[in-house]
Amino acid sequence: MPHPVRIAPSILSADFARLGEEVRALDAAGADWMHLDIMDGHFVPNISFGPSIVKALRPHTTKPFDVHLMISPIDAYLDAFADAGADTITVHPEAGPHIHRSLQRIKALGKRAGVVLNPGTPAKMLDYLLDTVDLVLVMSVNPGFGGQHFIDGQLKKIAAIRKMIDASGRAIDLEVDGGIDADSARRCIEAGADALVAGTAVFRGGPDSYAANIAALRGG
């Protein structure tokens, strides 16, 4: 049986002056995971935050921390994010010289390992990685900024990866991040996604709207 769709609000869209309160509000509103985007201004054209913020937020919820590392080189920072409280650590094949080694290190740290495919990265990149990963994250915008429009061409990639995962027989989450709203969420789910990252669509309207916004993304 497929998982129910998990919703992972992107903390990047939260009010940074009150991050702890935001995480608690998301937890109460029914978020399944907390998605934390780590950007270094080098691998992507933006800077967000580092392991100290992840560690500071960890006591505010027991929900899994889904930490997406958009930094390069990657390997030197894996231990720090694991120690800070990440549950899943997702990395880009382009962010280091040996993606398989990076994924092995994440697993050795006792964390769920994920691989991220940018819009221009083909599904074929997964051919020799699926036996190592717990999650595949498809970027449906170019990484680095929130508020971008969903790239429709990624739906074919999501469907292709769903077939690959099903054929593998392994329990691998298929997550999509970028331009997710009620309409694109429905199309991603139809293509085979079972986890969605959303920023603007979750945070619109403030904390009193979070529960309804999350339910709308699930299709409820």
Side-chain angles (χ1 to χ4, degrees), residues 9-159:
S10 173
I11 301 303
L12 202 61
S13 295
D15 179 351
F16 269 50
R18 43 192 296 276
L19 277 183
E21 294 169 56
E22 290 275 58
V23 166
R24 294 196 300 274
L26 292 167
D27 189 328
D32 298 289
W33 304 338
M34 303 295 168
H35 188 82
L36 297 103
D37 287 306
I38 312 300
M39 300 186 285
D40 64 357
H42 169 69
F43 185 69
V44 291
N46 201 358
I47 296 172
S48 60
F49 51 85
S52 60
I53 297 295
V54 177
K55 185 176 182 179
L57 291 177
R58 186 66 276 186
H60 291 273
T61 180
T62 59
K63 297 288 175 69
F65 274 10
D66 177 28
V67 178
H68 174 194
L69 299 184
M70 290 170 272
I71 59 179
S72 180
I74 190 78
D75 293 325
Y77 299 97
L78 297 175
D79 290 48
F81 284 99
D83 291 344
D87 295 288
T88 301
I89 299 176
T90 54
V91 295
H92 291 254
E94 301 89 352
H98 302 292
I99 179 62
H100 196 277
R101 179 182 292 159
S102 302
L103 294 168
Q104 284 181 313
R105 180 59 188 162
I106 295 167
K107 301 287 277 187
L109 291 165
K111 306 301 179 181
R112 283 165 33 93
V115 63
V116 194
L117 302 186
N118 282 334
T121 306
K124 191 169 178 59
M125 180 65 76
L126 299 170
D127 279 356
Y128 301 101
L129 297 177
L130 272 188
D131 60 346
T132 307
V133 302
D134 303 291
L135 178 145
V136 176
L137 172 55
V138 175
M139 293 301 300
S140 45
V141 299
N142 286 294
F145 294 94
Q148 299 182 67
H149 292 297
F150 183 86
I151 299 172
D152 290 330
Q154 298 305 298
L155 291 167
K156 286 191 284 188
K157 186 192 294 184
I158 296 164

